[in-house]
Each structure stands twice: as structure tokens, then as C-alpha cells.
Amino acid sequence: MRRWWEKWIAAPGLCPLCGSVHSAAVWAGIWDRLCSSCKAGLHQIRPPCCPLCGRSWPVPSLCGDCLRHRSRDLERNVGVLRYTSFPKELMRLFKYRGREVLAEPLGEMMAEALFAAGIRPEVVTYVPLHPDRMQQRGFNQSELLAREVARRLNLPLGSVLERIRPTPPQSRRSRRERMSALSGAFRLNPRSAGTAMDKKWLVVDDVYTTGSTLAECAKTLKAAGAKQVCSLTWAR
Ligand SMILES: [Zn+2]
Ligand SMILES: [Zn+2]
């Protein structure tokens, strides 16, 4: 039962994902501000998980994928939740239906997970879109998430990467084909000249699928002098 003062401080709020009315203290953490039906559709990744790619894994050691194809440049990935049907639906609304306001709650979940994982980057960046894709969509969802993460962690955002080759859809390709299609797909943005690169970088992306995109971004940053590169994705 709630104490009288708990009732008083729990003003009715709106679920930041679906907008339905429910009561939660305005200063409650993101997971407590979600309505029960949204919360039920999201499955946070909790330990044990693979220390490298951040997927749920029965033992706290490298998963099979990471044992076979370990990126030399990407130190570690943190994924907030499993990419099940409700997160897929939210991502579709966010990316293709222009629900850009979702960047705020999603970014809040990401910043919280990164902090809990004990990763302390110095600069935040994101996986860039190819200019053609950017023109089609009008915004880069990873950039919006990175802005929110940087704002919450009080870190600078460095827009240093650019995509010089469009990458065709990856789903039906083998890992080797994906890697060679991605090789050299990114470079340092000419506008990044003057940015101090010898920092601990965090690369933000919406979803971690095979990790090849993030590994390639990490490679580009490392080649430019980055001290360490970790990544953060909303779904894994
Ligand atoms: Zn909701
Ligand atoms: Zn792994």
C-alpha cells in the first residue's frame, strides 16, 4: 500500500513510449515511467552476458561469435535490450514514421545502461548514414540517440565519421561478404579536422546485429588515433 506522501508525489504522467496516462513520479527513472504494457514488451539484457558484444549469454565469457571473429578495434559493446517484436515496432516508428521524440526515452535507457556497465567514455559519436540515405530519411536515428546519450552523460558529441560508400542490405550475406562490403565504408569527416582524437570514444547505433558496422567504425577511429572505442546500442 502506498503511503499518503507517495500518492501525493506520484503525479499522473504519460508513458514516454506510447503516451498512455499512468502514474509515476516525474523524477522516477525511465523504467519506472513506462506503462505496464510497454514495460512488458521490453526485455532488458541482464548479466550474465558476453563481455565483448553484450548479448545475453549463459556464462560471463565470450560468446561463440566473439570467440570466432573478435574485433581488434572495438573494446566492448553494451546493448540495452533484446531486439524482440515490440522494440522492432518502436524502431520502425522511430526510423520510418518520423517519431523522433522517441530518441529521448531510448537515449535515456542507453545512457543508464552504459553508466551501469561502468564504461566512462570521453567523447560520443555515432554510426553515420550515407548522404543518399540521409536525404531520403531526413535524419540519422543514431545521431539523435547519440545526442541524447551525450546530453545525459554530459559529454561532448563529435560528429567525426562519414560514410563514403552506401552499404546494401546485409541480411542475406555471409559474414565475410559483409566485412568486405563494409571495408573502407567510413572515413574521418573533413570537418573533424582539429578534433583531438586520442580520447576514449563511444560509438552509438540503434541496433547491434552482427557488429561489423561498429567494428568498422572502431577501426576508422583507432586508425585516427583513438585511445579506446566502445559502443552502445539500444537493442542487441
Ligand atoms: Zn507505454
Ligand atoms: Zn559476444
Side-chain angles (χ1 to χ4, degrees):
M1 208 180 91
R2 280 186 173 170
R3 290 189 189 93
W4 67 268
W5 51 269
E6 282 176 324
K7 216 174 216 169
W8 178 65
I9 58 176
L14 300 180
C15 170
L17 296 183
C18 70
S20 71
V21 179
H22 75 118
S23 62
V26 278
W27 57 82
I30 179 68
W31 293 97
D32 290 328
R33 300 199 319 274
L34 300 179
C35 73
S36 53
S37 98
C38 284
K39 216 192 288 189
L42 301 175
H43 306 281
Q44 278 181 273
I45 298 175
R46 299 187 191 278
C49 49
C50 170
L52 201 66
C53 68
R55 69 147 56 119
S56 292
W57 194 243
V59 282
S61 64
L62 293 190
C63 72
D65 272 358
C66 289
L67 274 177
R68 279 191 298 275
H69 323 273
R70 185 183 182 146
S71 160
R72 258 183 254 125
D73 306 296
L74 187 62
E75 185 102 359
R76 189 176 162 195
N77 178 68
V78 171
V80 178
L81 43 80
R82 291 195 285 121
Y83 205 31
T84 49
S85 58
F86 182 50
K88 281 181 186 161
E89 172 61 16
L90 282 175
M91 200 39 78
R92 201 179 57 78
L93 291 171
F94 180 38
K95 270 163 86 162
Y96 305 110
R97 306 289 295 275
R99 285 271 294 277
E100 292 165 51
V101 289
L102 284 173
E104 231 176 88
L106 270 46
E108 186 176 349
M109 292 175 195
M110 293 168 81
E112 190 188 82
L114 188 85
F115 194 80
I119 297 177
R120 303 288 181 264
E122 295 168 293
V123 197
V124 180
T125 191
Y126 50 88
V127 175
L129 285 182
H130 187 268
D132 292 350
R133 180 74 64 85
M134 185 72 181
Q135 205 164 20
Q136 276 170 14
R137 197 176 292 162
F139 68 97
N140 176 355
Q141 74 285 354
S142 301
E143 179 181 354
L144 298 185
L145 294 173
R147 273 187 197 288
E148 190 59 28
V149 168
R151 188 178 73 81
R152 294 207 161 259
L153 299 175
N154 204 15
L155 292 170
L157 181 81
S159 302
V160 293
L161 293 171
E162 72 177 7
R163 195 162 201 145
I164 47 180
R165 279 216 320 263
T167 320
Q170 303 194 353
S171 45
R172 275 184 294 279
R173 295 163 157 233
S174 72
R175 176 174 283 266
R176 191 182 294 268
E177 285 171 331
R178 277 197 305 266
M179 290 309 285
S180 73
L182 273 167
S183 172
F186 302 100
R187 71 171 178 203
L188 235 51
N189 191 322
R191 282 173 299 151
S192 70
T195 308
M197 293 301 297
D198 60 335
K199 303 268 183 213
K200 293 182 185 170
W201 287 80
L202 179 77
V203 187
V204 168
D205 204 1
D206 48 2
V207 181
Y208 183 113
T209 32
T210 64
S212 2
T213 308
L214 288 164
E216 195 60 29
C217 288
K219 191 171 153 193
T220 311
L221 290 168
K222 273 292 190 67
K227 226 190 290 176
Q228 186 197 70
V229 184
C230 290
S231 60
L232 173 64
T233 62
W234 181 61
R236 167 74 181 90

